[in-house]
């Protein structure tokens, strides 16, 4: 079943043509890597999906329904998003995690402390970070923390924008492998990092050429 | 007992005091003599006009005229607040007008009706004098609130969008910014309230005492007016941010690009 579809998208952004009759489909449960250079406009894909930008023509379709200003709020509840800057809040880490779980979109969702601990360990994080102020965390730690929050939310789609940018090569491989073996959700990764192309079980889309390469 | 009237000679004596700052400016070459003359002259002329006008309004004490004068005060406050904000006038004029009028008028009528128990709620002396005090405070708190709210959303747009992307409702996505703007705009007023009588002796209280009221009456007025100022400030900040954001965000919840004034 197709979960995300970009159908006949035209978009100019900052006087640059990003999409010209762009068509792109993701089936439910697929792990997709959209590969392209920095500044090529590939994050625009996510901005269209999350309703931060609207195409000049064409449709973005989620679960068979065209995304509009009415249903975008429901669409966002089904997506867990992590971006490279990981500006996710201020203050104590545990409080930040709790705050995202207190959003009405997550009402009824809970996680056990053991589950949190397990996820943190998978991404080489210690539970002591929970009592730290987020400003004490390194860029890489923040990226992995945001990933943990995204996974704990157990949403049908996980969208990652350059999330391995602040990780060293070993940690990067570990994070990629944990992500791919850990989740049943549909995964959409936007990256310029070649490490993702080497990963098993992913379909790779070349953003510059606008075609599937793997 | 009323205040002792200041005679013309007395007023001249007051102006004579200005010799001191003028002398300081001259001695230290501060280049402020012209500014001093200009400011004092402007203040004197403005107050003379207001004095004549208020005398006229107070004598007439017509409810429609009183209300019209109050409305003009609100209007001027709204224009001044938006003028000092970074948001375009056309974008937020109406929401801010409503957000300033409702709390100020509600608190004023409550004050006149239930606190000082006036028979005539639109009594010019109270409506205009108290209204001016409330609006002055509404102006200063809202300039801080509106500016900090929208500028922080703009400067932290990635964080704001992350919250939206994670499924937050508009209200949930805005809540950290709302919280911070509230604190930023109202905490100084609270701090000032807490030191009242020690650090600052309120002008209204001094005025009443000079005007012949007993200190105990003046203090009661001062307590009531400080509470009224705080309540109208808090309520107006809440309404300003809530009402104005309808015009400042797209239906997708994103901050509109064209709402800020061009630099």
């Amino acid at each position: 079943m197709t979960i995300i579809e970009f159908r006949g998208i035209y978009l100019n952004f900052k006087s640059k043509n990003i999409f010209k009759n762009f068509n792109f489909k993701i089936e439910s449960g697929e792990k997709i890597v959209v590969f392209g250079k920095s500044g090529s406009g590939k994050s625009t894909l996510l901005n269209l999906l999350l309703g931060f930008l609207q195409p000049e023509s064409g449709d973005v379709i989620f679960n068979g329904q065209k995304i509009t200003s009415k249903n975008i709020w429901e669409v966002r509840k089904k997506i867990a998003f992590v971006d490279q800057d990981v500006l996710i809040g201020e203050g104590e880490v545990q409080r930040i995690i709790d705050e995202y779980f207190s959003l009405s979109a997550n009402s009824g969702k809970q996680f056990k402390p053991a589950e949190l601990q397990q996820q943190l360990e998978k991404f080489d994080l210690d539970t002591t970070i929970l009592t730290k102020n987020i400003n004490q965390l390194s860029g890489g730690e923040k990226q992995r923390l945001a990933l943990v929050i995204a996974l704990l939310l157990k949403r049908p789609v996980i969208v990652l924008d350059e999330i391995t940018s602040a990780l060293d090569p070993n940690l990067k491989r570990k994070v990629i492998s944990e992500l791919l073996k850990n989740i049943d959700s549909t995964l959409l990764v936007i990256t310029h990092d070649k490490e993702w192309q080497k990963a098993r079980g992913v379909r790779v889309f070349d953003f510059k050429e606008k075609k599937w390469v793997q | 007992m009323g205040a002792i009237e200041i005679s013309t000679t007395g007023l001249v004596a007051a102006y004579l005091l200005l010799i001191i700052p003028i002398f300081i400016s001259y001695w230290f070459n501060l280049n402020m003599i012209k500014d001093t003359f200009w400011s004092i002259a402007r203040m004197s002329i403005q107050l003379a006009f207001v004095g004549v006008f208020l005398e006229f309004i107070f004598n007439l004490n017509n409810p429609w005229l009183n209300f019209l004068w109050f409305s003009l005060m609100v209007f001027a406050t709204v224009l001044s607040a938006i003028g000092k904000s970074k948001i375009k006038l056309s974008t937020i004029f109406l929401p801010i007008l409503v957000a300033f009028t409702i709390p100020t008028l509600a608190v004023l009528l409550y004050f006149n009706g239930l606190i000082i128990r006036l028979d005539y709620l639109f009594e010019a002396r109270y409506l205009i004098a108290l209204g001016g005090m409330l609006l002055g405070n509404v102006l200063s708190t809202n300039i801080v609130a509106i500016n900090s709210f929208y500028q922080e959303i703009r400067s932290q747009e990635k964080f704001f969008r992350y919250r939206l992307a994670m499924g937050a409702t508009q209200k949930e996505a805005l809540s950290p910014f709302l919280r911070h703007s509230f604190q930023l705009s109202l905490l100084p007023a609270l701090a000032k309230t807490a030191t009242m009588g020690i650090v600052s002796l309120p002008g209204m209280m001094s005025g009443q005492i000079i005007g012949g009221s007993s200190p105990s009456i003046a203090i009661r007025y001062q307590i009531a007016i400080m509470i009224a100022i705080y309540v109208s400030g808090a309520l107006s900040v809440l309404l300003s941010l809530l009402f104005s954001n309808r015009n400042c965000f797209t239906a997708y919840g994103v901050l509109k690009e064209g709402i800020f004034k061009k630099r």
Side-chain angles (χ1 to χ4, degrees):
Chain A
M1 190 190 123
T2 303
I3 190 159
I4 296 168
E5 184 179 355
F6 292 81
R7 194 184 289 164
I9 304 285
Y10 281 83
L11 182 72
N12 290 296
F13 188 62
K14 291 179 180 166
S15 61
K16 190 171 155 190
N17 180 258
I18 310 269
F19 296 116
K20 194 174 171 186
N21 193 22
F22 176 67
N23 293 289
F24 182 75
K25 261 187 191 181
I26 301 175
E27 301 298 318
S28 183
E30 275 191 313
K31 318 293 179 217
I32 304 295
V33 173
V34 174
F35 183 80
K37 282 184 190 161
S38 298
S40 59
K42 56 191 185 301
S43 294
T44 318
L45 207 61
L46 301 187
N47 286 329
L48 286 168
L49 175 64
L50 294 166
F52 298 145
L53 267 180
Q54 282 69 52
E56 280 147 36
S57 71
D59 295 326
V60 183
I61 296 159
F62 189 87
N63 256 347
Q65 280 193 318
K66 181 187 167 186
I67 293 179
T68 64
S69 61
K70 296 272 184 298
N71 65 16
I72 185 66
W73 306 92
E74 287 305 312
V75 170
R76 288 174 186 154
K77 289 179 189 175
K78 295 187 171 60
I79 298 173
F81 171 64
V82 184
D83 78 341
Q84 58 180 330
D85 297 306
V86 279
L87 298 165
I88 61 174
E90 285 189 346
E92 194 192 55
V93 170
Q94 180 72 58
R95 200 191 59 76
I96 292 173
I97 298 175
D98 292 340
E99 209 212 324
Y100 283 102
F101 273 83
S102 71
L103 295 179
S104 55
N106 302 322
S107 65
K109 279 189 186 171
Q110 281 178 332
F111 61 88
K112 295 189 179 107
E115 194 183 351
L116 172 61
Q117 189 182 344
Q118 198 187 5
Q119 291 289 4
L120 289 170
E121 279 167 5
K122 274 181 192 164
F123 293 100
D124 262 17
L125 291 168
D126 203 276
T127 46
T128 52
I129 67 152
L130 295 173
T131 52
K132 284 187 183 167
N133 187 298
I134 192 156
N135 292 329
Q136 293 173 267
L137 271 54
S138 68
E141 283 174 324
K142 284 184 197 168
Q143 286 188 331
R144 285 174 283 148
L145 172 69
L147 276 175
V148 167
I149 296 175
L151 292 178
L152 285 172
L153 289 172
K154 296 190 181 82
R155 292 191 171 167
V157 177
I158 298 181
V159 169
L160 311 174
D161 187 7
E162 301 283 11
I163 52 117
T164 44
S165 60
L167 305 179
D168 67 55
N170 286 334
L171 204 47
K172 194 183 290 181
R173 278 192 284 276
K174 185 168 185 194
V175 165
I176 293 172
S177 120
E178 282 297 340
L179 272 171
L180 292 174
K181 72 178 178 200
N182 240 320
I183 52 169
D184 305 323
S185 314
T186 307
L187 185 68
L188 173 59
V189 180
I190 305 289
T191 188
H192 70 277
D193 192 332
K194 289 191 171 139
E195 202 64 51
W196 278 100
Q197 286 179 297
K198 297 178 200 161
R200 277 190 195 170
V202 296
R203 281 218 293 152
V204 180
F205 185 84
D206 184 326
F207 189 78
K208 191 183 171 202
E209 302 297 327
K210 303 281 190 295
K211 66 176 188 190
W212 295 101
V213 289
Q214 183 177 317
Chain B
M1 185 180 78
I4 299 167
E5 197 180 328
I6 296 182
S7 65
T8 312
T9 330
L11 201 59
V12 170
Y15 281 116
L16 276 179
L17 275 177
L18 289 170
I19 290 174
I20 299 168
I22 288 167
F23 179 74
I24 294 171
S25 179
Y26 175 76
W27 191 255
F28 290 101
N29 207 11
L30 299 179
N31 207 13
M32 282 170 60
I33 298 176
K34 205 174 129 192
D35 288 337
T36 307
F37 273 115
W38 167 244
S39 300
I40 297 291
R42 210 183 130 164
M43 180 264 297
S44 306
I45 293 166
Q46 281 169 193
L47 287 183
F49 272 113
V50 171
V52 170
F53 194 73
L54 287 184
E55 194 93 42
F56 170 73
I57 285 190
F58 286 2
N59 287 338
L60 229 78
N61 207 8
N62 174 294
W64 293 107
L65 195 64
N66 294 350
F67 190 73
L68 181 72
W69 182 247
F70 173 76
S71 306
L72 283 176
M73 283 163 62
V74 175
F75 205 74
T77 311
V78 171
L79 289 181
S80 180
I82 302 176
K84 288 190 171 65
S85 84
K86 304 274 188 272
I87 313 287
K88 285 180 185 165
L89 180 71
S90 56
T91 311
I92 54 168
F93 177 74
L94 263 181
I96 298 296
L97 183 66
V98 179
F100 282 14
T101 308
I102 293 175
T104 317
L105 199 59
V107 170
L108 259 182
L109 294 180
Y110 184 92
F111 196 96
N112 288 355
L114 290 170
I115 298 175
I116 47 179
R117 295 175 182 275
L118 288 179
D119 293 331
Y120 176 41
L121 291 181
F122 287 92
E123 176 80 44
R125 200 172 286 274
Y126 292 89
L127 189 79
I128 292 166
L130 295 175
M133 287 165 85
L134 297 190
L135 283 168
N137 180 71
V138 162
L139 175 66
S140 56
T141 49
N142 277 274
I143 290 171
V144 176
I146 296 168
N147 273 342
S148 67
F149 185 68
Y150 289 104
Q151 278 191 301
E152 275 180 24
I153 293 172
R154 182 156 71 159
S155 65
Q156 298 181 45
E157 197 160 20
K158 285 216 157 192
F159 171 49
F160 175 61
R161 286 188 176 198
Y162 174 75
R163 294 178 68 80
L164 286 176
M166 292 299 268
T169 60
Q170 180 86 13
K171 192 172 145 247
E172 286 171 336
L174 290 174
S175 67
F177 300 98
L178 211 64
R179 210 162 34 229
H180 193 232
S181 294
F182 250 93
Q183 290 166 344
L184 217 59
S185 60
L186 293 172
L187 284 180
L190 268 188
K192 200 177 156 197
T193 308
T195 56
M196 188 120 294
I198 303 171
V199 178
S200 59
L201 204 60
M204 181 193 176
M205 203 173 116
S206 314
Q208 273 190 309
I209 293 172
I210 291 169
S213 298
S214 77
S216 71
I217 292 177
I219 281 167
R220 285 178 185 214
Y221 262 93
Q222 192 58 43
I223 291 171
I225 195 72
M226 287 312 291
I227 294 170
I229 279 177
Y230 184 60
V231 172
S232 57
L235 197 55
S236 62
V237 166
L238 176 73
L239 296 184
S240 291
L241 300 183
L242 287 183
F243 293 165
S244 66
N245 80 45
R246 286 165 182 264
N247 294 354
C248 295
F249 294 89
T250 67
Y252 289 84
V254 179
L255 192 65
K256 284 183 188 168
E257 297 220 346
I259 62 164
F260 291 97
K261 289 173 190 164
K262 288 194 179 104
R263 283 178 200 167

Short mmCIF file of all heavy atoms in Angstrom, two decimals, chain A residues 79-108:
data_model
loop_
_atom_site.label_atom_id
_atom_site.label_comp_id
_atom_site.label_asym_id
_atom_site.label_seq_id
_atom_site.Cartn_x
_atom_site.Cartn_y
_atom_site.Cartn_z
N ILE A 79 3.63 11.03 11.84
CA ILE A 79 5.04 11.11 11.44
C ILE A 79 5.91 11.49 12.63
O ILE A 79 5.55 12.37 13.41
CB ILE A 79 5.21 12.19 10.33
CG1 ILE A 79 4.40 11.79 9.09
CG2 ILE A 79 6.68 12.38 9.97
CD1 ILE A 79 4.36 12.87 8.01
N ALA A 80 7.03 10.79 12.77
CA ALA A 80 8.03 11.22 13.76
C ALA A 80 9.19 11.80 12.99
O ALA A 80 9.68 11.19 12.03
CB ALA A 80 8.48 10.05 14.60
N PHE A 81 9.60 13.00 13.38
CA PHE A 81 10.58 13.74 12.57
C PHE A 81 11.83 14.05 13.39
O PHE A 81 11.75 14.41 14.56
CB PHE A 81 9.89 15.05 12.13
CG PHE A 81 10.79 16.05 11.47
CD1 PHE A 81 11.41 15.77 10.27
CD2 PHE A 81 11.00 17.30 12.04
CE1 PHE A 81 12.22 16.70 9.64
CE2 PHE A 81 11.81 18.24 11.42
CZ PHE A 81 12.42 17.94 10.22
N VAL A 82 12.97 13.87 12.76
CA VAL A 82 14.23 14.28 13.39
C VAL A 82 15.04 15.03 12.34
O VAL A 82 15.19 14.54 11.23
CB VAL A 82 15.06 13.06 13.87
CG1 VAL A 82 16.31 13.54 14.61
CG2 VAL A 82 14.25 12.15 14.78
N ASP A 83 15.51 16.22 12.70
CA ASP A 83 16.35 16.91 11.73
C ASP A 83 17.75 17.16 12.29
O ASP A 83 18.02 16.89 13.45
CB ASP A 83 15.70 18.20 11.22
CG ASP A 83 15.82 19.33 12.21
OD1 ASP A 83 16.07 19.05 13.40
OD2 ASP A 83 15.64 20.50 11.81
N GLN A 84 18.63 17.63 11.43
CA GLN A 84 20.04 17.70 11.81
C GLN A 84 20.31 18.69 12.94
O GLN A 84 21.24 18.51 13.71
CB GLN A 84 20.89 18.05 10.60
CG GLN A 84 20.50 19.35 9.94
CD GLN A 84 21.39 19.64 8.74
OE1 GLN A 84 22.54 19.25 8.69
NE2 GLN A 84 20.83 20.32 7.74
N ASP A 85 19.50 19.74 13.04
CA ASP A 85 19.78 20.75 14.06
C ASP A 85 19.29 20.37 15.45
O ASP A 85 19.71 20.96 16.43
CB ASP A 85 19.15 22.09 13.66
CG ASP A 85 19.77 22.59 12.37
OD1 ASP A 85 20.99 22.69 12.32
OD2 ASP A 85 19.01 22.84 11.41
N VAL A 86 18.40 19.38 15.48
CA VAL A 86 17.82 18.89 16.74
C VAL A 86 17.58 19.97 17.80
O VAL A 86 18.05 19.88 18.93
CB VAL A 86 18.61 17.71 17.37
CG1 VAL A 86 18.23 16.42 16.70
CG2 VAL A 86 20.11 17.91 17.34
N LEU A 87 16.84 20.99 17.40
CA LEU A 87 16.40 21.97 18.39
C LEU A 87 15.08 21.46 18.94
O LEU A 87 14.01 21.71 18.38
CB LEU A 87 16.22 23.34 17.71
CG LEU A 87 17.49 23.92 17.11
CD1 LEU A 87 17.20 25.05 16.17
CD2 LEU A 87 18.40 24.41 18.24
N ILE A 88 15.17 20.69 20.02
CA ILE A 88 13.95 20.02 20.48
C ILE A 88 13.42 20.58 21.80
O ILE A 88 12.36 20.17 22.25
CB ILE A 88 14.15 18.48 20.61
CG1 ILE A 88 15.25 18.16 21.62
CG2 ILE A 88 14.47 17.88 19.26
CD1 ILE A 88 15.39 16.68 21.89
N GLY A 89 14.13 21.51 22.39
CA GLY A 89 13.62 22.10 23.63
C GLY A 89 14.75 22.55 24.52
O GLY A 89 15.92 22.47 24.14
N GLU A 90 14.35 23.03 25.68
CA GLU A 90 15.35 23.51 26.64
C GLU A 90 15.10 22.89 28.00
O GLU A 90 13.97 22.51 28.31
CB GLU A 90 15.28 25.04 26.74
CG GLU A 90 15.89 25.70 25.54
CD GLU A 90 16.03 27.20 25.68
OE1 GLU A 90 15.41 27.76 26.60
OE2 GLU A 90 16.75 27.78 24.87
N GLY A 91 16.15 22.77 28.77
CA GLY A 91 16.01 22.27 30.12
C GLY A 91 16.43 20.82 30.23
O GLY A 91 17.21 20.31 29.40
N GLU A 92 15.90 20.15 31.25
CA GLU A 92 16.31 18.78 31.56
C GLU A 92 15.81 17.81 30.49
O GLU A 92 14.66 17.91 30.03
CB GLU A 92 15.75 18.40 32.93
CG GLU A 92 16.37 17.16 33.52
CD GLU A 92 15.57 16.66 34.72
OE1 GLU A 92 14.36 16.42 34.56
OE2 GLU A 92 16.14 16.51 35.79
N VAL A 93 16.66 16.85 30.13
CA VAL A 93 16.33 15.90 29.05
C VAL A 93 15.04 15.13 29.35
O VAL A 93 14.16 15.02 28.49
CB VAL A 93 17.52 14.95 28.81
CG1 VAL A 93 17.13 13.82 27.88
CG2 VAL A 93 18.70 15.73 28.23
N GLN A 94 14.93 14.61 30.56
CA GLN A 94 13.73 13.82 30.91
C GLN A 94 12.45 14.67 30.74
O GLN A 94 11.44 14.21 30.24
CB GLN A 94 13.82 13.33 32.37
CG GLN A 94 12.63 12.51 32.83
CD GLN A 94 12.58 11.11 32.22
OE1 GLN A 94 13.52 10.33 32.37
NE2 GLN A 94 11.52 10.80 31.48
N ARG A 95 12.55 15.93 31.14
CA ARG A 95 11.39 16.82 31.04
C ARG A 95 11.01 17.06 29.57
O ARG A 95 9.84 17.11 29.21
CB ARG A 95 11.70 18.16 31.74
CG ARG A 95 10.49 18.98 32.12
CD ARG A 95 10.87 20.38 32.54
NE ARG A 95 11.57 21.11 31.49
CZ ARG A 95 10.99 21.65 30.42
NH1 ARG A 95 9.69 21.54 30.25
NH2 ARG A 95 11.71 22.29 29.51
N ILE A 96 12.04 17.15 28.73
CA ILE A 96 11.78 17.34 27.29
C ILE A 96 11.07 16.11 26.71
O ILE A 96 10.08 16.23 25.98
CB ILE A 96 13.11 17.63 26.53
CG1 ILE A 96 13.66 19.00 26.95
CG2 ILE A 96 12.89 17.59 25.02
CD1 ILE A 96 15.04 19.31 26.41
N ILE A 97 11.56 14.93 27.09
CA ILE A 97 10.92 13.70 26.59
C ILE A 97 9.47 13.66 27.05
O ILE A 97 8.55 13.42 26.26
CB ILE A 97 11.68 12.44 27.11
CG1 ILE A 97 13.12 12.44 26.59
CG2 ILE A 97 10.94 11.16 26.68
CD1 ILE A 97 13.98 11.31 27.13
N ASP A 98 9.27 13.94 28.34
CA ASP A 98 7.90 13.90 28.89
C ASP A 98 7.00 14.91 28.18
O ASP A 98 5.82 14.64 27.96
CB ASP A 98 7.91 14.20 30.40
CG ASP A 98 8.58 13.09 31.18
OD1 ASP A 98 8.69 11.97 30.63
OD2 ASP A 98 9.01 13.32 32.33
N GLU A 99 7.58 16.07 27.84
CA GLU A 99 6.75 17.09 27.19
C GLU A 99 6.22 16.61 25.85
O GLU A 99 5.07 16.85 25.51
CB GLU A 99 7.56 18.38 27.03
CG GLU A 99 6.62 19.60 27.07
CD GLU A 99 7.10 20.75 26.21
OE1 GLU A 99 8.31 20.96 26.14
OE2 GLU A 99 6.22 21.41 25.61
N TYR A 100 7.06 15.91 25.10
CA TYR A 100 6.57 15.42 23.79
C TYR A 100 5.51 14.34 23.98
O TYR A 100 4.59 14.23 23.17
CB TYR A 100 7.74 14.95 22.91
CG TYR A 100 8.45 16.16 22.33
CD1 TYR A 100 9.66 16.61 22.85
CD2 TYR A 100 7.85 16.92 21.34
CE1 TYR A 100 10.25 17.75 22.37
CE2 TYR A 100 8.43 18.07 20.85
CZ TYR A 100 9.63 18.49 21.38
OH TYR A 100 10.22 19.65 20.92
N PHE A 101 5.62 13.58 25.05
CA PHE A 101 4.59 12.57 25.30
C PHE A 101 3.30 13.19 25.84
O PHE A 101 2.25 12.57 25.80
CB PHE A 101 5.12 11.48 26.24
CG PHE A 101 5.81 10.40 25.48
CD1 PHE A 101 7.13 10.54 25.10
CD2 PHE A 101 5.13 9.26 25.08
CE1 PHE A 101 7.77 9.57 24.35
CE2 PHE A 101 5.74 8.28 24.33
CZ PHE A 101 7.07 8.44 23.96
N SER A 102 3.41 14.44 26.34
CA SER A 102 2.19 15.07 26.86
C SER A 102 1.41 15.80 25.76
O SER A 102 0.31 16.30 26.00
CB SER A 102 2.56 16.06 27.98
OG SER A 102 3.20 17.17 27.42
N LEU A 103 1.95 15.85 24.54
CA LEU A 103 1.20 16.47 23.44
C LEU A 103 -0.09 15.67 23.21
O LEU A 103 -0.10 14.45 23.35
CB LEU A 103 2.01 16.47 22.14
CG LEU A 103 3.29 17.31 22.10
CD1 LEU A 103 3.97 17.15 20.74
CD2 LEU A 103 2.99 18.78 22.36
N SER A 104 -1.15 16.39 22.81
CA SER A 104 -2.43 15.68 22.62
C SER A 104 -2.31 14.61 21.53
O SER A 104 -3.01 13.60 21.57
CB SER A 104 -3.53 16.68 22.27
OG SER A 104 -3.15 17.44 21.16
N ALA A 105 -1.38 14.80 20.59
CA ALA A 105 -1.19 13.80 19.52
C ALA A 105 -0.73 12.46 20.10
O ALA A 105 -0.93 11.41 19.48
CB ALA A 105 -0.14 14.31 18.54
N ASN A 106 -0.13 12.51 21.28
CA ASN A 106 0.40 11.27 21.87
C ASN A 106 -0.40 10.80 23.08
O ASN A 106 0.09 10.01 23.87
CB ASN A 106 1.86 11.48 22.28
CG ASN A 106 2.72 11.90 21.12
OD1 ASN A 106 2.53 11.41 20.01
ND2 ASN A 106 3.63 12.81 21.35
N SER A 107 -1.63 11.33 23.20
CA SER A 107 -2.41 10.96 24.39
C SER A 107 -2.65 9.45 24.36
O SER A 107 -2.95 8.85 23.33
CB SER A 107 -3.73 11.72 24.44
OG SER A 107 -4.52 11.34 23.37
N GLY A 108 -2.48 8.85 25.52
CA GLY A 108 -2.65 7.40 25.62
C GLY A 108 -1.36 6.63 25.36
O GLY A 108 -1.26 5.46 25.66
#
